[in-house]
Amino acid sequence: QVELVESGGGSVQAGGSLKLSCTVSGYTYSRHCMGWIRQPPGKGREGVAAIDDDGVTSYADSVKGRFTISLDNAKTTLYLQMNGLKPDDTAIYYCAADPEWCRPGTVVTGGPFMFGHWGQGTQVAVSS
C-alpha cells in the first residue's frame, strides 16, 4: 500500500523559509510523477509545483523564483523548499504521486489533479 507522509509545516513570518518533506513508502512503480498542491483557508486546491519522471519541474506563477521542488536520488522523499514566504502562501500543503498521470503543466495551471496517491497534508501559516 502506497503511503505519503508530509512534514515540515509550521508558522513563520513573511519573508521566512520552510522546507516541506514528503516521505513515500510502498511505492513500487518504476515511474514517479509527483507534485505539491495546496488548499488555502476557505478556497479550493491549487497546484504549486510538480516534477515529472525525467526530473523536469514546473511551478505556478505565484511561486516561481521562491519555491523549489526536488526528489531525492532514491525517489523516496519529495521536497518543497519555500523561500520568501508571503501571507498568501498560508494553506494546507499536500504531496501527491502517480505512476501514470504525469502532467506537470496541468498541475501548476489549476488542475484537475488526477494523482492516485495523496498525503494527509501539512499546515503552513505565514503571518505579516
Side-chain angles (χ1 to χ4, degrees), residues 3-29:
E3 186 176 24
L4 283 66
V5 180
E6 301 96 335
S7 61
S11 298
V12 296
Q13 290 190 326
S17 298
L18 283 173
K19 186 173 186 177
L20 305 184
S21 299
C22 172
T23 302
V24 182
S25 61
Y27 192 96
T28 59
Y29 307 105

Side-chain angles (χ1 to χ4, degrees), residues 1-4 24-34 53 74-76 97-100 117:
Q1 182 176 349
V2 178
E3 186 176 24
L4 283 66
V24 182
S25 61
Y27 192 96
T28 59
Y29 307 105
S30 60
R31 201 159 175 247
H32 292 69
C33 305
M34 307 185 74
D53 196 56
K75 297 189 177 182
T76 58
D98 198 277
E100 295 297 334
H117 306 284

Side-chain angles (χ1 to χ4, degrees), residues 29-114:
Y29 307 105
S30 60
R31 201 159 175 247
H32 292 69
C33 305
M34 307 185 74
W36 288 96
I37 295 92
R38 68 186 181 188
Q39 186 163 16
K43 297 183 180 180
R45 291 187 175 185
E46 56 187 48
V48 176
I51 185 167
D52 70 12
D53 196 56
D54 295 320
V56 178
T57 58
S58 299
Y59 298 92
D61 288 344
S62 59
V63 306
K64 276 181 184 175
R66 299 189 297 123
F67 290 12
T68 303
I69 187 172
S70 61
L71 183 63
D72 71 342
N73 289 337
K75 297 189 177 182
T76 58
T77 307
L78 181 72
Y79 299 100
L80 185 68
Q81 177 68 49
M82 305 186 294
N83 300 326
L85 283 162
K86 304 176 181 180
D88 284 348
D89 296 318
T90 295
I92 299 173
Y93 283 72
Y94 301 90
C95 68
D98 198 277
E100 295 297 334
W101 191 79
C102 206
R103 299 186 181 178
T106 300
V107 172
V108 300
T109 54
F113 310 115
M114 302 298 288

